[in-house]
Amino acid sequence: MKKADFLNELYAHLSPLPSNERKEILNDFREHFREGAAAGKSEEQICAELGSPFECAKQYVGDAIVEGRVQERQRRKGFWTDIAIFNLVQVLIALPLSVGLFLAAGLMCVIFAFIISAVHSTAFIVFAVSSTLAVLIAAVFMLLAAIDGLRSAIKKING
């Protein structure tokens, strides 16, 4: 193989890399050819010593791919960390709100218990029970949604 063929093939195999990196790598290989020629070696001998252009390119491209994957994973981990912080704030807000709703439901039970004993209306009893349950269910769902969001964000960070 001749120098020009080697460098053209190497350049083609380096295509996943940015052009400035490819040019820098080709300059390094040109320097190998210059040094080899200065030592009295033919282009074919230098190509044989360097190995196949594909194998040479694989080292550079493989390192770039691995490095890119590591950077992508770090970027994703940062994103999920932000999400976990947001969900933690959500839990810190939802916790007092849901406790307040639990207290409101309890207070409604007490108030309605006294009113129901004074008023013997079926419609009022249905209203009292359903509104108390609605507040209680809202509190439970608010708390569960916040905790589930936090748990899933932590799972994404760790996994």
Side-chain angles (χ1 to χ4, degrees), residues 51-118:
S52 78
F54 176 76
E55 290 299 321
C56 293
K58 192 164 71 169
Q59 295 172 359
Y60 294 100
V61 174
D63 290 345
I65 290 172
V66 169
E67 184 177 314
R69 287 182 183 157
V70 168
Q71 289 174 352
E72 174 65 20
R73 184 161 189 212
Q74 289 172 343
R75 187 188 62 74
R76 263 189 286 143
K77 190 171 186 177
F79 170 76
W80 286 110
T81 302
D82 294 344
I83 296 295
I85 291 169
F86 172 76
N87 284 335
L88 180 61
V89 169
Q90 181 184 3
V91 167
L92 293 175
I93 291 170
L95 191 60
L97 289 176
S98 58
V99 168
L101 288 173
F102 281 123
L103 292 175
L107 184 62
M108 288 171 72
C109 285
V110 171
I111 291 171
F112 288 147
F114 285 116
I115 294 174
I116 288 173
S117 63

Side-chain angles (χ1 to χ4, degrees), residues 133-144:
L133 284 176
V135 171
L136 191 61
I137 290 170
V140 169
F141 277 116
M142 180 187 298
L143 191 60
L144 289 177

